[in-house]
Amino acid sequence: MKWLGILELLALSECLVIIPLMKVKTMRETLRGKNLLTNFLEENTDDRSQNATNDLNISLQPLRNYLDLCYIGNITIGTPPQEIRVVFDTSSSFMWVPAIYCHNPFCRTHDFFKPQLSTTFKFSDQSFNLKYSTGMIVGNLVYDTVRIMNLVNLHQEFGLSVRQSGLDDAIFDGVLGLGYPSLAPKRITPIFDNLKTRGIISQPVFAFYLSTKKETGSVVMFGGVDNSYYKGELKWIPVSRKHYWQIAMDRITMNGVVVGCYHGCQAILSTGTTLLAGPTTLVTIIQKLISAMPFGEEYHVTCSHIRSLPTIIYTINGNDYPVPAAAYIWKGPYSTCISRFRGGTETWNLLETWVLGDAFLRLYFSVYDRGNNRVGLARAV
């Protein structure tokens, strides 16, 4: 998706697999603090020990959180396995990782896949080209064994990038998309669809818990839901379009006044961005209401004013989902406080569309149910 900065599987069919994630910087914030990025990479090259929950069917691994920003987790590719850091992104459906024969600055500073070392690797005769708001990626479509924890796909198609631009300072190596198949290029079958159609998971469901201000705790789980990660009951919302994880939204209010989605609109749940994005004209109104001032492409607020800023409420399917200022303002280094609201969705969708990224999803545990084409939300613990 434009807002990116952000398996034949063999496993027990009743297994609920929980994948470790790590919070990391967006590219803009990475440029502000390269020493922090270097330290994070050096501290996260080792395998993490696995902890068990009370449910014997759940596999849980400790996670790392980096400054309440983008979330990544480790997968492996090839035989023998090679570890790669990826963004688990609900707003894309394609998996790509860098290749060893890529010579861009991005590839020199990231883990890359070495196909010549894998006995199960196969080329295809197709190429791919992806464009993001921050850059582009060009490469070849290939096949190999992909592992997400103990879920193993023996012949997964994915992209092997050979050229990138605009992503040099991203902390992730690649992207693993979890959107609908219609979003994937060249009719590629996404990884989750292989999990679902081959009966590797007991339920065609995955879910995200994104921790807040903690280095550990974030997970993505496949095949079921661990209810210890949320409070109360899940509220189910029908998917309005099977492409992104897109839902209908009723309105957006602040201090009891509607500030967006006046006559109903669409919303996309995206773990690939930390932002709360929408049409530029409406987002500009919100920035003024929270006294955010433009600073380049960003909007800054006075840090001492955060406690007095209003809560914004997203009403979805008749239920209110409050997002307080502490969630929609990011407190960065050097005493900077930055609004997570961002405009621009009108450039790719004529309908009024909002993107609910990690700033929203940290507050609400989210479940993505492909069997019933619905999304579940509940207050995260």
Side-chain angles (χ1 to χ4, degrees):
M1 174 177 179
K2 183 173 181 176
W3 297 101
L4 178 68
I6 276 130
L7 283 162
E8 196 156 353
L9 296 177
L10 305 177
L12 296 176
S13 62
E14 296 300 316
C15 186
L16 170 57
V17 178
I18 298 180
I19 306 305
L21 305 177
M22 292 171 285
K23 287 189 185 175
V24 297
K25 278 192 169 185
T26 60
M27 283 164 280
R28 187 175 290 110
E29 273 64 50
T30 293
L31 290 170
R32 288 199 186 104
K34 283 214 170 186
N35 290 336
L36 294 175
L37 171 61
T38 301
N39 293 340
F40 180 83
L41 289 171
E42 289 176 350
E43 293 171 3
N44 285 276
T45 55
D46 60 318
D47 292 332
R48 304 290 168 183
S49 61
Q50 183 168 315
N51 289 345
T53 67
N54 293 330
D55 189 335
L56 296 178
N57 290 324
I58 298 176
S59 177
L60 179 65
Q61 183 173 331
L63 312 177
R64 289 293 300 269
N65 168 344
Y66 192 65
L67 299 181
D68 271 357
L69 291 163
C70 179
Y71 295 77
I72 63 173
N74 294 332
I75 64 170
T76 65
I77 304 173
T79 307
Q82 302 175 39
E83 190 170 79
I84 302 288
R85 294 183 182 93
V86 297
V87 174
F88 288 84
D89 183 13
T90 57
S91 55
S92 66
S93 295
F94 184 55
M95 172 182 158
W96 66 265
V97 298
I100 188 174
Y101 40 80
C102 167
H103 297 294
N104 288 95
F106 175 92
C107 300
R108 291 196 295 268
T109 58
H110 289 74
D111 290 332
F112 42 73
F113 179 62
K114 309 176 184 69
Q116 73 276 15
L117 299 183
S118 174
T119 60
T120 48
F121 176 82
K122 291 185 179 180
F123 271 110
S124 80
D125 58 358
Q126 296 190 73
S127 61
F128 74 93
N129 187 320
L130 293 179
K131 291 183 179 180
Y132 294 105
S133 61
T134 52
M136 65 175 294
I137 302 163
V138 177
N140 303 107
L141 296 179
V142 298
Y143 299 87
D144 209 333
T145 299
V146 176
R147 298 171 180 84
I148 305 176
M149 293 291 285
N150 60 326
L151 302 178
V152 183
N153 180 13
L154 299 181
H155 195 63
Q156 176 65 44
E157 188 172 14
F158 62 96
L160 200 57
S161 66
V162 298
R163 188 169 76 252
Q164 297 91 2
S165 64
L167 300 174
D168 295 351
D169 292 284
I171 196 171
F172 56 84
D173 302 318
V175 172
L176 190 152
L178 292 169
Y180 278 82
S182 62
L183 192 56
K186 301 189 181 246
R187 298 183 179 179
I188 294 171
T189 302
I191 287 178
F192 184 76
D193 284 80
N194 284 328
L195 280 167
K196 178 173 69 74
T197 58
R198 294 165 183 171
I200 304 303
I201 50 179
S202 58
Q203 301 178 62
V205 169
F206 62 92
F208 278 86
Y209 172 78
L210 305 180
S211 65
T212 300
K213 299 178 181 178
K214 296 187 299 181
E215 289 193 357
T216 61
S218 302
V219 296
V220 53
M221 56 190 74
F222 292 91
V225 177
D226 183 342
N227 59 16
S228 67
Y229 284 92
Y230 63 89
K231 306 172 186 176
E233 296 183 358
L234 287 166
K235 303 295 185 182
W236 293 103
I237 308 154
V239 169
S240 57
R241 185 189 177 202
K242 301 171 188 176
H243 193 58
Y244 300 111
W245 284 95
Q246 183 171 323
I247 56 179
M249 186 158 61
D250 304 332
R251 60 190 170 275
I252 303 171
T253 56
M254 187 177 286
N255 288 329
V257 178
V258 178
V259 295
C261 196
Y262 292 88
H263 306 290
C265 60
Q266 296 292 298
I268 293 169
L269 301 179
S270 174
T271 58
T273 177
T274 193
L275 300 174
L276 298 168
T280 300
T281 54
L282 298 176
V283 170
T284 301
I285 292 172
I286 293 174
Q287 305 285 28
K288 290 180 180 178
L289 290 173
I290 63 174
S291 301
M293 301 298 294
F295 187 84
E297 296 181 2
E298 300 169 337
Y299 277 74
H300 289 199
V301 301
T302 302
C303 293
S304 60
H305 293 173
I306 293 178
R307 291 185 178 180
S308 63
L309 293 178
T311 293
I312 190 165
I313 298 175
Y314 295 89
T315 303
I316 303 170
N317 206 27
N319 296 300
D320 290 343
Y321 297 91
V323 178
Y328 66 72
I329 301 296
W330 181 67
K331 297 184 71 172
Y334 317 118
S335 300
T336 57
C337 290
I338 302 169
S339 168
R340 295 188 191 270
F341 291 106
R342 194 67 49 83
T345 61
E346 74 278 2
T347 62
W348 53 269
N349 200 327
L350 296 178
L351 297 175
E352 181 184 343
T353 302
W354 294 78
V355 177
L356 305 182
D358 297 341
F360 178 89
L361 296 173
R362 270 187 289 274
L363 300 172
Y364 300 100
F365 178 83
S366 56
V367 182
Y368 305 81
D369 183 353
R370 281 287 301 278
N372 296 290
N373 294 308
R374 60 182 184 171
V375 173
L377 294 175
R379 175 69 71 169
V381 296

